[in-house]
């Protein structure tokens, strides 16, 4: 969100809640916090807040943080697939060590 969009958010708050007066310090503080946020998502939360609450929102009530991509699950699935392929390849090439007697299914029972 850029400064122009933030001013639009704050102007909306000020127009709906007349008791709120926007200061320069407030603009700079909100800009530091909201610069990474999506303008349309913040406006959606602000609109929802306006519809439900008679008091102006605090910063935390309308902030929307985007989820960061997490590739851990994809990486884990890739490692599992590579492990399966390695096991099959080792079995085909007879490189796999035989299962120890103490691990064989007949003894476990």
């Amino acid at each position: 969100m850029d400064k122009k969009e933030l001013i639009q958010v704050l102007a909306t708050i000020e127009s709906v809640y007349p008791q709120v007066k926007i200061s320069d310090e407030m603009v700079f503080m909100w800009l530091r916090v909201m610069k990474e946020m999506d303008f349309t998502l913040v406006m959606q939360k602000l609109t929802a807040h306006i519809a439900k609450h008679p008091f102006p929102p605090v910063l935390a009530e309308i902030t929307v943080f985007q989820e960061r991509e997490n590739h851990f699950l994809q990486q884990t699935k890739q490692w599992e697939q590579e492990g399966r392929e390695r096991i099959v390849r080792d079995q085909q090439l007879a490189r796999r060590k035989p299962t120890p007697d103490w691990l064989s299914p007949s003894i476990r029972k």
Side-chain angles (χ1 to χ4, degrees):
M1 176 179 312
D2 61 15
K3 190 174 182 179
K4 198 178 230 181
E5 293 169 333
L6 174 66
I7 290 172
Q8 186 176 349
V9 169
L10 293 173
T12 303
I13 293 171
E14 192 174 42
S15 67
V16 174
Y17 302 103
Q19 69 271 26
V20 174
K21 299 298 177 211
I22 305 299
S23 66
D24 289 340
E25 293 83 22
M26 186 176 182
V27 172
F28 290 122
M29 179 59 71
W30 281 47
L31 184 59
R32 279 195 305 186
V33 174
M34 299 182 91
K35 66 183 174 187
E36 300 294 322
M37 295 181 202
D38 183 73
F39 171 71
T40 55
L41 296 175
V42 170
M43 285 302 287
Q44 287 174 0
K45 279 190 88 171
L46 177 58
T47 303
H49 180 88
I50 290 169
K52 293 180 183 178
H53 299 90
F55 299 103
V58 294
L59 184 58
E61 292 176 318
I62 61 171
T63 55
V64 181
F65 291 101
Q66 302 252 347
E67 289 185 28
R68 294 182 179 157
E69 289 187 36
N70 186 349
H71 301 287
F72 179 74
L73 186 58
Q74 291 174 321
Q75 185 67 45
T76 303
K77 287 181 180 182
Q78 179 185 350
W79 288 336
E80 287 175 355
Q81 180 64 33
E82 290 170 0
R84 280 188 215 100
E85 292 169 358
R86 182 180 44 82
I87 289 169
V88 169
R89 186 177 56 248
D90 287 351
Q91 286 174 344
Q92 290 172 348
L93 297 173
R95 283 195 235 157
R96 194 102 171 124
K97 294 180 182 177
T99 305
D101 291 335
W102 58 273
L103 266 179
S104 64
S106 59
I107 295 177
R108 282 193 219 170
K109 294 179 182 178

